[in-house]
Amino acid sequence: MLSILLQRAMDLEWVDRNPVANIRKLKGGSYKAWPAATLEAYEQHCEDHGLSVARTIYELAIGTGQRLGDCVAMKWDGFDGEYMSVVQQKTGAKIDVYCPARLQAYLAGLPRRGKHILAKNATEPLGKRQVQKAVENVREAIGVKDGDDRLVPHGWRYTAAKEMADAGVDIRGIQSVTGHKTLEMAQKYASGADQKKASKRAQQKREQNSDKPGKCETNCETSPVSRGQTKENPENDQ
C-alpha cells in the first residue's frame, strides 16, 4: 500500500524521487520460531542479569501464544490460575487461553505491583515500547538483534504454534490458542513443525492400532469368497 502511495505522489510530482529507494533492506528477522538454543540463551541472560520485564513478557508470549501488545495488556484479574483472558487488539476477539504449568508456576511466583502483570503503576501497564526495548537489549546481548541471525519477538508466537504442532496438536487446536481467524493462518504459524517427529508419531499410532481389526480382517476373511464360497449375487460387485 505504501509503495502505491509513493508512486502516486511521484506521478503527481509531489516528490521527485522515492524517499526509500536507497535504503538498504534489513536482513533476517523473518517471522519464524526461535531455535531451542536461542530460547535457552535468552532465558539464561535474563536470569543472570535479573531482567524481570524481558523475562515476563517472554514467558507470557511463549506460554499463551499471543502478540506482544496483547501480553503487555494482560491483567491479574484476567488470570484465574489456569486460564488467561485475552482481548486481542488486532481482531477484537475475546479468548480464554489455558496456561501451561510452566507459565502458571512463573506467574504464581511473580509479585503483583498493580492491575497489570507488567505494571507501570497501580492502574497502568508498562508502555509497549519500554517492553520492546527490554527485549531488544537481550536480543542484542545474545546476538540475534541484527544480521542474518536476527530474530524478532513475534517469532515467539510462531514458537508456541510450532511446539503445539510438534506435540501432535491439530490445526484447530492450535487455532483455539493463537486466536487466528482462519485455519490457513494457524497452519502458517505451525508450518515449522518438525516433520521427522511428526512422521514418528504417525507411524507409532499406526503400530499401536495394528492389532485392531481392519477392513480386510473384518470384511475379507469373513466374506463367502474368503472362505472359498461363490457369491450368490454378482451385482454386489458394482
Side-chain angles (χ1 to χ4, degrees):
M1 182 64 181
L2 180 58
S3 62
I4 295 174
L5 292 175
L6 286 171
Q7 185 61 55
R8 179 62 174 161
M10 287 188 289
D11 290 343
L12 294 173
E13 298 184 348
W14 291 347
V15 295
D16 59 3
R17 66 182 183 84
N18 186 339
V20 299
N22 295 319
I23 296 178
R24 179 175 61 87
K25 290 183 178 180
L26 190 63
K27 293 183 178 180
S30 60
Y31 291 162
K32 60 183 178 182
W34 285 34
T38 309
L39 295 173
E40 292 172 6
Y42 185 101
E43 294 172 17
Q44 191 62 52
H45 186 81
C46 289
E47 183 175 338
D48 291 345
H49 297 85
L51 304 177
S52 177
V53 172
R55 182 60 183 267
T56 299
I57 191 65
Y58 166 86
E59 294 291 347
L60 289 173
I62 292 284
T64 67
Q66 303 305 302
R67 300 174 183 87
L68 221 64
D70 294 331
C71 292
V72 171
M74 289 175 180
K75 298 178 180 179
W76 284 114
D77 64 7
F79 176 59
D80 65 2
E82 288 189 311
Y83 290 86
M84 182 69 72
S85 181
V86 180
V87 178
Q88 295 189 322
Q89 297 173 354
K90 184 175 181 180
T91 65
K94 182 183 182 300
I95 60 174
D96 293 301
V97 180
Y98 181 80
C99 298
R102 168 175 166 149
L103 179 56
Q104 291 183 29
Y106 181 83
L107 292 175
L110 203 63
R112 302 192 180 197
R113 298 190 172 93
K115 289 174 58 177
H116 295 82
I117 296 174
L118 285 162
K120 175 182 178 181
N121 53 42
T123 59
E124 298 176 297
L126 290 172
K128 183 179 178 181
R129 180 56 194 145
Q130 181 179 349
V131 174
Q132 289 174 325
K133 180 61 177 174
V135 174
E136 190 175 282
N137 290 340
V138 181
R139 289 168 55 220
E140 183 173 20
I142 64 175
V144 295
K145 180 175 175 288
D146 300 298
D148 294 336
D149 295 326
R150 184 172 181 263
L151 292 168
V152 297
H154 193 74
W156 294 337
R157 190 158 154 81
Y158 282 76
T159 300
K162 177 182 178 298
E163 288 179 351
M164 286 184 281
D166 282 342
V169 180
D170 64 23
I171 295 301
R172 289 192 181 277
I174 294 170
Q175 185 184 25
S176 72
V177 173
T178 61
H180 285 112
K181 291 293 187 181
T182 65
L183 292 176
E184 287 78 10
M185 280 304 297
Q187 177 68 60
K188 175 186 175 185
Y189 274 65
S191 61
D194 192 319
Q195 177 272 326
K196 186 176 180 180
K197 291 180 181 177
S199 72
K200 181 177 180 179
R201 287 195 306 271
Q203 294 289 48
Q204 286 178 333
K205 284 185 178 181
R206 178 185 181 186
E207 290 175 336
Q208 291 167 3
N209 286 279
S210 63
D211 59 342
K212 296 180 180 179
K215 288 184 178 180
C216 186
E217 189 174 352
T218 57
N219 295 331
C220 300
E221 293 182 4
T222 59
S223 68
V225 174
S226 67
R227 296 195 299 270
Q229 299 178 14
T230 304
K231 291 183 180 180
E232 295 180 0
N233 186 0
E235 291 183 359
N236 289 336
D237 286 342
Q238 300 302 316

